[in-house]
Amino acid sequence: MTAIVTSAYNAKIRGLLDEVYDPELPGLTIADLGVLRGVSTDNGQVAITLTPTYSGCPATQVIEMQVRDVLLRAGLQDFRIDTELAPAWSSEWITERGRAKLRELGIAPPVGRRGDASDYCDPEVECPRCGASNTEKISEFGSTACKAHYRCRACLEPFDYFKCI
Amino acid sequence: MKDDNARFEYLLRLGDNSLILGHRLSEWCGHGPVLEEDIAMSNIALDLVGQARLWLAHAAETEGAGRDEDTLAFHRDAFDWRNVLLVEQPNGDFAHTMVRQFLFDVHAVELYRGLSGSTDETVAAIAAKSLKEAIYHRRHSGQWIIRMGDGTEESHARAQAALDDLWGYSHELFDDDALVERLVADSIAVPGAELKPAWDAEVDQVLGQATLSRPSDDWRVDGGSQGVHSEHLGYLLAEMQFLPRAYPGAKW
């Protein structure tokens, strides 16, 4: 295939993968999350590169299954899924669209560019429901490993905060 | 070939530490003192088991004997485990669990920081990934040490008792034997002795905030990384390995 055909083909594959959502963050695609690291075609074989978020995240295997499922349904036979560990996934890879979707889901997106959890203080997190910054951490770990559990002191609603890593 | 064997043994130590501690934490699932903490401990357990999977998969690949991470996790007996004795100690009360976790987490952060520069690229990648998680684990356990130590009379007494009980198990984390030295020479591993000053500083700082006293170094127990374990490991393995041993190849 010529370069231009290949890039159009890869874009089409990416379009298919826009149907793959994180099972624990409904509404966020693997592209929104930055888990999808690459789509390439080599001698007709499609290679999908994924980088898992947390080592123990149970969603990782489900995401792989979903990718396989979407590609098979589209009639693709010759493809492989590569897991790339380095560089390690960072919450900075969540796209702007992904951050907006997190807020819509009632989850506060990561605060700051790089998570500095090296001290024992907590970041100031804005309530995704009412926007108040008067919030408090309830637990370092929320419904999943990637989230902490918070409560808004203004509207009193509990919410998840997606941690910086 | 010989070096691959040393690397295999070293990877087992890393993987076994994570897996045994992860399993210990999972025993709290459904028994946590409060719901949030139950969830937190299960999440940390998941991180640790996930890290163990990566280490053991790399160990199996390095060994090249046809085993995989599941074979290593479920079909080895106590003598073949290389985890330090600290991680196999029973959960005890919540203070014992958190002190064990804190002593481990502070070490894990320093270890993974060092290993992220390993000449073994897979070791470097797993370490860099695990480091991000370990920083959160340390934050979680460290905050509990401060809360319990600087809390009520009872929480202080329990935290101090746990610290006194477990302190002698912490030294093994820093032991450098011939195997580690050989891998350090190839810049694959980092020497434990090099991690000690940062560990001391971090632990002292948190114990200070927690108003807890640092125990004296007048006793130590070790042997886990050589395969000499306490009685506790056998019981743990009996539970953890039951299903794949009773139903080989079981899938769901």
Side-chain angles (χ1 to χ4, degrees):
Chain A
M1 279 191 282
T2 62
I4 200 152
V5 176
T6 307
S7 85
Y9 188 65
N10 291 344
K12 198 176 167 219
I13 302 284
R14 278 184 182 273
L16 291 172
L17 295 177
D18 272 339
E19 280 177 46
V20 178
Y21 295 94
D22 183 305
E24 283 168 347
L25 295 164
L28 268 86
T29 67
I30 52 174
D32 291 334
L33 267 175
V35 163
L36 177 61
R37 301 311 298 162
V39 175
S40 60
T41 311
D42 185 21
N43 270 337
Q45 189 189 50
V46 174
I48 312 289
T49 308
L50 303 175
T51 293
T53 54
Y54 282 71
S55 304
C57 183
T60 307
Q61 276 178 308
V62 180
I63 289 173
E64 267 187 45
M65 270 168 48
Q66 288 174 332
V67 168
R68 206 171 292 278
D69 190 45
V70 161
L71 297 180
L72 286 174
R73 266 191 290 131
L76 229 81
Q77 300 287 336
D78 194 13
F79 63 85
R80 62 170 208 270
I81 300 171
D82 298 326
T83 301
E84 194 172 79
L85 290 182
W89 184 83
S90 165
S91 49
E92 284 174 23
W93 294 354
I94 301 176
T95 61
E96 273 311 313
R97 194 173 76 154
R99 293 174 66 90
K101 282 189 189 166
L102 280 175
R103 271 187 222 99
E104 278 171 35
L105 289 169
I107 300 167
V111 173
R113 292 289 301 158
R114 174 72 64 180
D116 181 17
S118 54
D119 59 21
Y120 299 93
C121 304
D122 303 312
E124 191 175 281
V125 177
E126 231 174 56
C127 172
R129 298 192 186 275
C130 74
S133 51
N134 183 16
T135 62
E136 62 176 336
K137 189 187 75 183
I138 304 290
S139 178
E140 193 67 65
F141 293 85
S143 55
T144 60
C146 56
K147 292 175 249 153
H149 194 52
Y150 271 71
R151 174 165 56 206
C152 177
R153 288 204 191 96
C155 71
L156 304 179
E157 283 291 325
F159 64 92
D160 266 336
Y161 162 60
F162 203 107
K163 291 183 282 196
C164 258
I165 70 163
Chain B
M1 188 63 212
K2 268 197 162 171
D3 275 334
D4 268 358
N5 193 41
R7 206 150 50 99
F8 170 68
E9 283 281 320
Y10 186 70
L11 290 165
L12 280 187
R13 291 180 186 183
L14 295 168
D16 290 355
N17 279 345
S18 297
L19 185 52
I20 298 300
L21 187 58
H23 184 84
R24 275 287 184 234
L25 280 183
S26 78
E27 293 170 2
W28 276 101
C29 187
H31 303 277
V34 287
L35 183 60
E36 288 78 6
E37 206 40 45
D38 198 293
I39 292 169
M41 285 190 284
S42 301
N43 271 319
I44 297 167
L46 267 178
D47 277 347
L48 290 170
V49 173
Q51 292 166 8
R53 187 173 182 181
L54 296 171
W55 291 125
L56 293 180
H58 188 38
E61 203 184 278
T62 303
E63 187 194 33
R67 295 202 273 185
D68 64 10
E69 67 267 32
D70 284 337
T71 328
L72 290 175
F74 298 122
H75 297 282
R76 275 186 300 152
D77 258 334
F79 291 131
D80 293 325
W81 284 74
R82 296 290 178 260
N83 58 281
V84 292
L85 297 178
L86 175 70
V87 296
E88 70 196 43
Q89 295 311 301
N91 286 338
D93 62 7
F94 185 66
H96 275 78
T97 294
M98 275 309 131
V99 167
R100 182 186 65 198
Q101 192 68 32
F102 178 65
L103 300 177
F104 180 86
D105 290 342
V106 177
H107 174 264
V109 168
E110 300 308 327
L111 175 68
Y112 295 151
R113 214 191 293 282
L115 286 181
S116 58
S118 171
T119 51
D120 178 326
E121 278 177 24
T122 309
V123 167
I126 301 171
K129 181 159 191 54
S130 304
L131 173 62
K132 294 182 171 206
E133 295 159 0
I135 288 173
Y136 271 107
H137 300 169
R138 182 184 68 175
R139 198 165 123 111
H140 170 260
S141 57
Q143 283 177 343
W144 271 113
I145 300 304
I146 295 168
R147 227 163 131 180
M148 287 189 289
D150 194 20
T152 64
E153 210 172 292
E154 172 157 10
S155 70
H156 178 90
R158 282 182 183 241
Q160 187 65 55
L163 199 57
D164 294 343
D165 284 351
L166 292 166
W167 191 256
Y169 291 95
S170 67
H171 308 298
E172 191 183 5
L173 289 166
F174 304 97
D175 284 350
D176 290 319
D177 55 8
L179 187 147
V180 173
E181 278 163 15
R182 196 148 91 226
L183 296 173
V184 166
D186 291 339
S187 302
I188 291 171
V190 286
E194 229 169 64
L195 311 173
K196 192 71 166 44
W199 187 86
D200 280 335
E202 184 75 23
V203 167
D204 286 346
Q205 187 246 326
V206 170
L207 293 187
Q209 277 193 64
T211 71
L212 292 167
S213 326
R214 182 185 167 112
S216 62
D217 292 334
D218 52 5
W219 66 279
R220 61 172 285 154
V221 199
D222 53 49
S225 50
Q226 314 296 329
V228 183
H229 292 278
S230 60
E231 189 184 356
H232 307 299
L233 184 66
Y235 289 98
L236 185 152
L237 293 179
E239 183 174 317
M240 187 178 86
Q241 299 180 332
F242 167 77
L243 201 137
R245 282 185 185 255
Y247 304 94
K251 282 196 175 15
W252 62 84

